Amino acid sequence: MDRSGFVLKLFGLLLCLLPVLQACPQNCHCHGGDLQHVICDNVGLRRIPKVAEQTRLLNLQRNNFPVLPTNGFREMKNLVSLHLQHSHIKEISSGAFRGLKQLVYLYLSNNDISVIKMGAFDDLTELTYLYLDHNKIPDLPKGLLSPLINLFILQLGSNKLRELRAGAFHGTKDLRWLYLSNNSINSVHPAALDDVENLAIFHLDKNHLTSYPGAAMSKLRVVEDLKLSNNPMKIIPDLAFQSFGRYMETLSLDNMGLEKFSDKAFAGVTTLKTVHIENNKLSSLPGNFPFGRLETLTLSNNPWHCSCQLAPLRRWLESTRSRPDAACASPSSARGQQIRDTSALRGCKVPTKRSKKGSRH
Protein backbone atom coordinates (compact mmCIF):
# COMPACT_ATOMS: atom_id res chain seq x y z
CA MET A 1 0.00 0.00 0.00
CA ASP A 2 1.45 3.43 -0.95
CA ARG A 3 1.67 6.30 1.52
CA SER A 4 -1.43 8.10 0.19
CA GLY A 5 -3.51 4.91 0.46
CA PHE A 6 -2.40 4.38 4.06
CA VAL A 7 -3.28 7.96 4.96
CA LEU A 8 -6.72 7.63 3.41
CA LYS A 9 -7.37 4.38 5.29
CA LEU A 10 -6.24 5.91 8.58
CA PHE A 11 -8.44 8.96 7.96
CA GLY A 12 -11.42 6.70 7.31
CA LEU A 13 -10.77 4.80 10.53
CA LEU A 14 -10.61 8.04 12.49
CA LEU A 15 -13.91 9.13 10.99
CA CYS A 16 -15.48 5.89 12.19
CA LEU A 17 -14.06 6.38 15.66
CA LEU A 18 -15.04 10.05 15.91
CA PRO A 19 -18.58 9.48 17.24
CA VAL A 20 -17.18 7.19 19.95
CA LEU A 21 -14.44 9.67 20.85
CA GLN A 22 -17.04 12.40 21.15
CA ALA A 23 -19.41 10.31 23.27
CA CYS A 24 -17.61 10.94 26.57
CA PRO A 25 -19.17 14.02 28.23
CA GLN A 26 -16.94 17.01 28.86
CA ASN A 27 -14.87 16.81 32.07
CA CYS A 28 -15.86 13.14 32.55
CA HIS A 29 -13.72 10.03 32.34
CA CYS A 30 -14.77 7.10 30.18
CA HIS A 31 -13.22 3.66 30.10
CA GLY A 32 -14.07 0.07 29.36
CA GLY A 33 -14.74 -1.36 25.93
CA ASP A 34 -17.02 0.91 23.89
CA LEU A 35 -17.14 3.48 26.72
CA GLN A 36 -19.11 1.19 29.01
CA HIS A 37 -18.13 3.11 32.15
CA VAL A 38 -18.72 6.88 32.29
CA ILE A 39 -17.42 8.66 35.41
CA CYS A 40 -18.62 12.23 36.00
CA ASP A 41 -17.99 12.43 39.75
CA ASN A 42 -18.01 15.99 41.14
CA VAL A 43 -17.57 17.87 37.84
CA GLY A 44 -20.20 20.59 38.37
CA LEU A 45 -22.96 19.10 36.22
CA ARG A 46 -26.45 20.66 36.44
CA ARG A 47 -28.10 18.61 33.69
CA ILE A 48 -28.05 14.90 32.94
CA PRO A 49 -25.36 14.45 30.26
CA LYS A 50 -25.81 12.52 27.04
CA VAL A 51 -23.79 9.30 26.94
CA ALA A 52 -23.31 6.50 24.44
CA GLU A 53 -26.17 4.04 24.25
CA GLN A 54 -23.83 1.18 25.17
CA THR A 55 -22.92 2.75 28.54
CA ARG A 56 -23.44 0.26 31.38
CA LEU A 57 -22.23 2.25 34.40
CA LEU A 58 -22.87 5.97 34.84
CA ASN A 59 -21.43 7.74 37.89
CA LEU A 60 -22.98 11.20 38.37
CA GLN A 61 -22.50 11.59 42.12
CA ARG A 62 -21.56 14.88 43.76
CA ASN A 63 -23.16 17.06 41.08
CA ASN A 64 -26.27 19.27 41.24
CA PHE A 65 -29.60 17.89 39.98
CA PRO A 66 -32.43 19.38 42.13
CA VAL A 67 -35.07 17.67 39.97
CA LEU A 68 -34.62 14.41 38.09
CA PRO A 69 -36.77 15.09 35.01
CA THR A 70 -39.09 12.76 33.15
CA ASN A 71 -37.21 10.70 30.55
CA GLY A 72 -33.87 12.06 31.76
CA PHE A 73 -32.16 8.71 31.12
CA ARG A 74 -34.39 7.34 28.38
CA GLU A 75 -31.66 6.83 25.76
CA MET A 76 -29.40 4.85 28.14
CA LYS A 77 -31.07 1.54 27.40
CA ASN A 78 -28.13 -0.66 28.43
CA LEU A 79 -27.41 1.03 31.76
CA VAL A 80 -26.91 -1.46 34.62
CA SER A 81 -25.59 0.79 37.40
CA LEU A 82 -26.53 4.44 38.07
CA HIS A 83 -24.86 6.52 40.82
CA LEU A 84 -26.55 9.76 41.93
CA GLN A 85 -25.42 10.13 45.55
CA HIS A 86 -24.74 13.57 47.04
CA SER A 87 -26.36 15.37 44.08
CA HIS A 88 -28.76 17.76 45.89
CA ILE A 89 -31.78 15.94 44.46
CA LYS A 90 -35.08 17.17 45.94
CA GLU A 91 -37.64 15.69 43.56
CA ILE A 92 -37.90 12.64 41.31
CA SER A 93 -40.37 13.18 38.47
CA SER A 94 -42.78 10.57 37.14
CA GLY A 95 -40.96 8.48 34.55
CA ALA A 96 -37.56 9.79 35.61
CA PHE A 97 -35.97 6.41 34.95
CA ARG A 98 -38.12 5.39 31.99
CA GLY A 99 -36.22 3.29 29.48
CA LEU A 100 -33.80 1.79 32.02
CA LYS A 101 -35.11 -1.74 31.63
CA GLN A 102 -31.67 -3.27 32.30
CA LEU A 103 -30.87 -1.26 35.43
CA VAL A 104 -29.86 -3.39 38.43
CA TYR A 105 -28.21 -0.87 40.80
CA LEU A 106 -29.63 2.58 41.65
CA TYR A 107 -27.86 4.75 44.22
CA LEU A 108 -29.77 7.82 45.46
CA SER A 109 -28.33 8.10 48.99
CA ASN A 110 -27.42 11.36 50.71
CA ASN A 111 -29.68 13.73 48.81
CA ASP A 112 -32.61 15.95 49.90
CA ILE A 113 -35.35 13.86 48.27
CA SER A 114 -38.75 14.71 49.72
CA VAL A 115 -40.93 14.24 46.62
CA ILE A 116 -41.11 11.04 44.58
CA LYS A 117 -43.90 11.27 42.02
CA MET A 118 -46.02 8.21 41.27
CA GLY A 119 -44.55 6.45 38.25
CA ALA A 120 -41.03 7.54 39.13
CA PHE A 121 -39.80 3.96 39.00
CA ASP A 122 -41.59 2.91 35.81
CA ASP A 123 -39.61 0.44 33.69
CA LEU A 124 -37.23 -0.58 36.52
CA THR A 125 -38.36 -4.20 36.38
CA GLU A 126 -34.79 -5.54 36.70
CA LEU A 127 -33.78 -3.27 39.57
CA THR A 128 -32.35 -5.35 42.41
CA TYR A 129 -30.59 -2.85 44.68
CA LEU A 130 -32.15 0.51 45.59
CA TYR A 131 -30.43 2.89 48.00
CA LEU A 132 -32.55 5.82 49.19
CA ASP A 133 -31.05 6.30 52.65
CA HIS A 134 -30.22 9.72 54.12
CA ASN A 135 -32.96 11.67 52.39
CA LYS A 136 -36.20 13.38 53.52
CA ILE A 137 -38.79 10.95 52.17
CA PRO A 138 -42.01 11.37 54.22
CA ASP A 139 -44.22 8.59 52.85
CA LEU A 140 -44.46 5.38 50.81
CA PRO A 141 -47.84 5.49 49.05
CA LYS A 142 -49.23 2.25 47.68
CA GLY A 143 -48.05 1.66 44.14
CA LEU A 144 -44.90 3.75 44.29
CA LEU A 145 -42.64 0.68 44.42
CA SER A 146 -44.90 -1.63 42.40
CA PRO A 147 -42.74 -1.69 39.23
CA LEU A 148 -39.80 -3.08 41.24
CA ILE A 149 -40.73 -6.73 40.92
CA ASN A 150 -37.13 -7.96 41.26
CA LEU A 151 -36.06 -5.72 44.14
CA PHE A 152 -33.85 -7.58 46.65
CA ILE A 153 -32.39 -4.81 48.86
CA LEU A 154 -34.19 -1.60 49.81
CA GLN A 155 -32.31 0.91 51.95
CA LEU A 156 -34.60 3.61 53.38
CA GLY A 157 -32.75 4.43 56.59
CA SER A 158 -32.46 8.02 57.84
CA ASN A 159 -35.54 9.50 56.17
CA LYS A 160 -38.72 11.17 57.49
CA LEU A 161 -41.14 8.22 57.33
CA ARG A 162 -43.84 8.40 60.01
CA GLU A 163 -45.93 5.35 59.19
CA LEU A 164 -46.01 2.25 57.06
CA ARG A 165 -49.31 2.15 55.24
CA ALA A 166 -51.19 -0.85 53.88
CA GLY A 167 -49.60 -1.87 50.59
CA ALA A 168 -46.48 0.24 51.11
CA PHE A 169 -44.37 -2.49 49.51
CA HIS A 170 -46.93 -3.70 46.98
CA GLY A 171 -45.28 -5.51 44.08
CA THR A 172 -41.91 -6.12 45.74
CA LYS A 173 -42.45 -9.78 46.50
CA ASP A 174 -38.76 -10.67 46.08
CA LEU A 175 -37.60 -8.13 48.67
CA ARG A 176 -35.25 -9.80 51.18
CA TRP A 177 -33.36 -7.01 52.96
CA LEU A 178 -35.35 -4.00 54.20
CA TYR A 179 -33.69 -1.21 56.16
CA LEU A 180 -35.93 1.39 57.80
CA SER A 181 -33.62 2.49 60.61
CA ASN A 182 -33.62 6.03 61.95
CA ASN A 183 -36.97 7.30 60.71
CA SER A 184 -39.95 8.58 62.74
CA ILE A 185 -42.21 5.56 62.26
CA ASN A 186 -44.85 5.39 65.01
CA SER A 187 -47.32 3.00 63.37
CA VAL A 188 -47.25 -0.02 61.10
CA HIS A 189 -50.55 -0.91 59.45
CA PRO A 190 -51.49 -4.61 59.85
CA ALA A 191 -51.30 -4.99 56.04
CA ALA A 192 -48.09 -2.99 55.54
CA LEU A 193 -45.90 -6.08 55.14
CA ASP A 194 -48.32 -8.33 53.27
CA ASP A 195 -46.25 -8.24 50.06
CA VAL A 196 -42.84 -8.90 51.64
CA GLU A 197 -43.35 -12.12 53.56
CA ASN A 198 -39.89 -13.37 52.48
CA LEU A 199 -37.89 -10.69 54.28
CA ALA A 200 -34.69 -12.14 55.76
CA ILE A 201 -33.25 -8.91 57.21
CA PHE A 202 -35.62 -6.35 58.70
CA HIS A 203 -34.20 -3.32 60.52
CA LEU A 204 -36.79 -1.09 62.15
CA ASP A 205 -34.56 0.38 64.86
CA LYS A 206 -34.36 4.04 65.93
CA ASN A 207 -38.03 4.78 65.29
CA HIS A 208 -40.97 5.82 67.50
CA LEU A 209 -42.91 2.58 67.93
CA THR A 210 -44.47 2.33 71.38
CA SER A 211 -45.96 -1.14 70.86
CA TYR A 212 -44.88 -4.23 68.97
CA PRO A 213 -46.62 -4.32 65.53
CA GLY A 214 -47.68 -7.93 65.93
CA ALA A 215 -50.40 -8.03 63.26
CA ALA A 216 -48.00 -6.83 60.56
CA MET A 217 -45.04 -8.92 61.77
CA SER A 218 -47.13 -12.10 61.74
CA LYS A 219 -47.14 -11.93 57.91
CA LEU A 220 -43.36 -12.46 57.81
CA ARG A 221 -42.12 -16.03 57.42
CA VAL A 222 -38.32 -16.25 57.24
CA VAL A 223 -36.78 -13.30 59.11
CA GLU A 224 -33.22 -14.12 60.17
CA ASP A 225 -32.16 -10.73 61.51
CA LEU A 226 -34.68 -8.47 63.29
CA LYS A 227 -33.62 -5.14 64.74
CA LEU A 228 -36.03 -3.12 66.88
CA SER A 229 -33.50 -1.30 69.08
CA ASN A 230 -34.20 2.27 70.21
CA ASN A 231 -37.99 2.09 69.95
CA PRO A 232 -39.86 3.04 73.15
CA MET A 233 -41.63 -0.30 73.65
CA LYS A 234 -42.31 -1.53 77.17
CA ILE A 235 -43.58 -5.04 76.45
CA ILE A 236 -42.88 -7.76 73.88
CA PRO A 237 -46.19 -9.67 73.63
CA ASP A 238 -46.99 -13.37 73.34
CA LEU A 239 -46.17 -15.04 69.99
CA ALA A 240 -44.26 -11.97 68.81
CA PHE A 241 -41.83 -13.95 66.66
CA GLN A 242 -43.72 -17.19 66.13
CA SER A 243 -44.30 -16.87 62.37
CA PHE A 244 -40.54 -16.72 61.64
CA GLY A 245 -39.09 -18.19 64.86
CA ARG A 246 -37.62 -21.22 63.09
CA TYR A 247 -35.32 -18.92 61.09
CA MET A 248 -34.47 -16.00 63.37
CA GLU A 249 -30.79 -15.97 64.35
CA THR A 250 -30.24 -12.36 65.44
CA LEU A 251 -32.58 -10.24 67.58
CA SER A 252 -31.76 -6.69 68.70
CA LEU A 253 -33.98 -5.18 71.40
CA ASP A 254 -31.50 -2.94 73.20
CA ASN A 255 -32.02 0.67 74.37
CA MET A 256 -35.81 0.51 74.38
CA GLY A 257 -36.89 1.00 77.98
CA LEU A 258 -38.21 -2.56 77.69
CA GLU A 259 -39.79 -3.76 80.95
CA LYS A 260 -41.11 -7.22 80.21
CA PHE A 261 -41.36 -10.19 77.88
CA SER A 262 -44.76 -11.89 78.01
CA ASP A 263 -44.63 -15.53 79.06
CA LYS A 264 -45.03 -16.80 75.48
CA ALA A 265 -43.06 -14.07 73.73
CA PHE A 266 -40.52 -16.57 72.37
CA ALA A 267 -42.95 -19.31 71.37
CA GLY A 268 -41.70 -21.03 68.23
CA VAL A 269 -38.21 -19.47 68.40
CA THR A 270 -35.62 -22.24 68.01
CA THR A 271 -32.54 -20.92 66.18
CA LEU A 272 -31.48 -17.74 68.00
CA LYS A 273 -27.71 -17.23 68.13
CA THR A 274 -27.39 -13.54 69.03
CA VAL A 275 -29.62 -11.43 71.29
CA HIS A 276 -29.08 -7.82 72.36
CA ILE A 277 -31.22 -6.65 75.31
CA GLU A 278 -28.85 -4.29 77.13
CA ASN A 279 -29.89 -0.85 78.43
CA ASN A 280 -33.49 -1.73 79.26
CA LYS A 281 -35.61 -2.11 82.41
CA LEU A 282 -35.81 -5.90 82.47
CA SER A 283 -35.78 -7.70 85.79
CA SER A 284 -36.44 -11.23 84.50
CA LEU A 285 -36.65 -13.42 81.40
CA PRO A 286 -39.59 -15.64 80.44
CA GLY A 287 -39.40 -19.37 81.01
CA ASN A 288 -39.30 -20.07 77.26
CA PHE A 289 -36.32 -17.83 76.55
CA PRO A 290 -34.39 -19.79 73.86
CA PHE A 291 -30.95 -20.47 75.33
CA GLY A 292 -30.49 -23.69 73.31
CA ARG A 293 -28.33 -22.37 70.43
CA LEU A 294 -27.46 -18.99 71.90
CA GLU A 295 -23.88 -17.83 71.34
CA THR A 296 -24.02 -14.11 72.17
CA LEU A 297 -26.21 -12.35 74.73
CA THR A 298 -25.75 -8.74 75.87
CA LEU A 299 -27.48 -7.98 79.17
CA SER A 300 -25.86 -5.02 80.89
CA ASN A 301 -27.73 -2.08 82.45
CA ASN A 302 -30.90 -3.93 83.36
CA PRO A 303 -32.32 -4.15 86.93
CA TRP A 304 -32.12 -7.96 87.15
CA HIS A 305 -33.94 -9.56 90.08
CA CYS A 306 -31.76 -12.48 91.13
CA SER A 307 -34.27 -15.16 92.01
CA CYS A 308 -34.57 -18.74 90.78
CA GLN A 309 -36.41 -17.41 87.72
CA LEU A 310 -32.97 -16.46 86.38
CA ALA A 311 -31.51 -19.95 86.97
CA PRO A 312 -31.56 -20.82 83.22
CA LEU A 313 -29.68 -17.59 82.52
CA ARG A 314 -27.17 -18.43 85.26
CA ARG A 315 -26.58 -21.85 83.72
CA TRP A 316 -26.04 -20.32 80.27
CA LEU A 317 -23.59 -17.76 81.70
CA GLU A 318 -21.61 -20.57 83.30
CA SER A 319 -21.44 -22.48 80.03
CA THR A 320 -20.38 -19.66 77.70
CA ARG A 321 -16.82 -18.58 77.06
CA SER A 322 -17.81 -14.93 76.88
CA ARG A 323 -18.35 -13.04 80.11
CA PRO A 324 -21.22 -10.60 79.47
CA ASP A 325 -21.89 -8.11 82.24
CA ALA A 326 -25.11 -9.00 84.05
CA ALA A 327 -25.42 -7.70 87.59
CA CYS A 328 -28.19 -8.16 90.14
CA ALA A 329 -30.20 -5.09 91.16
CA SER A 330 -32.26 -6.98 93.72
CA PRO A 331 -32.63 -8.42 96.31
CA SER A 332 -30.54 -5.92 98.25
CA SER A 333 -28.26 -8.67 99.55
CA ALA A 334 -27.16 -9.47 95.97
CA ARG A 335 -27.13 -5.94 94.54
CA GLY A 336 -24.11 -5.35 92.33
CA GLN A 337 -23.13 -9.02 92.19
CA GLN A 338 -22.74 -10.73 88.82
CA ILE A 339 -25.53 -13.22 88.08
CA ARG A 340 -22.85 -15.75 87.19
CA ASP A 341 -21.31 -15.52 90.68
CA THR A 342 -24.03 -14.52 93.12
CA SER A 343 -24.99 -16.87 95.94
CA ALA A 344 -28.62 -15.78 95.51
CA LEU A 345 -29.08 -18.41 92.79
CA ARG A 346 -27.34 -21.30 94.48
CA GLY A 347 -29.60 -24.27 94.97
CA CYS A 348 -31.98 -23.24 92.20
CA LYS A 349 -33.09 -26.10 89.97
CA VAL A 350 -33.26 -25.68 86.20
CA PRO A 351 -36.00 -27.62 84.34
CA THR A 352 -34.49 -30.03 81.83
CA LYS A 353 -35.77 -30.73 78.32
CA ARG A 354 -36.22 -34.35 79.30
CA SER A 355 -38.66 -33.49 82.06
CA LYS A 356 -40.62 -31.29 79.61
CA LYS A 357 -40.88 -34.13 77.11
CA GLY A 358 -42.01 -36.48 79.84
CA SER A 359 -44.88 -34.20 80.71
CA ARG A 360 -46.36 -34.69 77.23
CA HIS A 361 -46.98 -38.41 77.61
Side-chain angles (χ1 to χ4, degrees), residues 72-132:
F73 303 91
R74 190 164 191 170
E75 303 305 318
M76 307 178 193
K77 298 177 181 179
N78 292 299
L79 209 60
V80 173
S81 185
L82 177 58
H83 299 248
L84 288 160
Q85 308 96 305
H86 299 278
S87 291
H88 306 286
I89 301 167
K90 296 180 179 179
E91 178 179 325
I92 303 177
S93 303
S94 179
F97 305 106
R98 191 173 292 139
L100 300 185
K101 296 182 179 181
Q102 305 300 319
L103 197 70
V104 175
Y105 305 89
L106 178 55
Y107 300 92
L108 291 160
S109 308
N110 298 99
N111 283 291
D112 298 311
I113 299 169
S114 60
V115 177
I116 304 178
K117 296 291 184 67
M118 291 297 290
F121 300 120
D122 282 359
D123 284 357
L124 298 183
T125 54
E126 293 299 317
L127 195 72
T128 308
Y129 307 94
L130 176 57
Y131 296 88
L132 281 162

Side-chain angles (χ1 to χ4, degrees), residues 22-26 38 47-52 55 58 72 75-76:
Q22 291 176 336
C24 192
Q26 188 175 8
V38 178
R47 298 179 65 181
I48 306 300
K50 291 184 178 181
V51 301
T55 300
L58 177 59
E75 303 305 318
M76 307 178 193

Side-chain angles (χ1 to χ4, degrees), residues 116-160:
I116 304 178
K117 296 291 184 67
M118 291 297 290
F121 300 120
D122 282 359
D123 284 357
L124 298 183
T125 54
E126 293 299 317
L127 195 72
T128 308
Y129 307 94
L130 176 57
Y131 296 88
L132 281 162
D133 51 295
H134 295 90
N135 279 289
K136 298 176 181 178
I137 299 168
D139 192 19
L140 291 176
K142 183 177 181 179
L144 179 67
L145 302 174
S146 294
L148 310 180
I149 57 175
N150 280 300
L151 196 63
F152 187 90
I153 294 177
L154 176 57
Q155 172 60 269
L156 276 164
S158 299
N159 274 283
K160 303 292 183 183

Side-chain angles (χ1 to χ4, degrees), residues 226-246:
L226 176 61
K227 195 169 188 178
L228 291 167
S229 313
N230 295 93
N231 278 286
M233 294 182 200
K234 293 185 177 181
I235 298 174
I236 300 298
D238 287 341
L239 314 179
F241 318 112
Q242 187 178 44
S243 63
F244 49 86
R246 293 180 299 136

Side-chain angles (χ1 to χ4, degrees), residues 47 51 81 135 188 197 208 249 270 275 282 287 289 314 348:
R47 298 179 65 181
V51 301
S81 185
N135 279 289
V188 180
E197 65 175 23
H208 298 163
E249 296 186 357
T270 58
V275 179
L282 295 166
F289 191 85
R314 163 77 164 257
C348 293

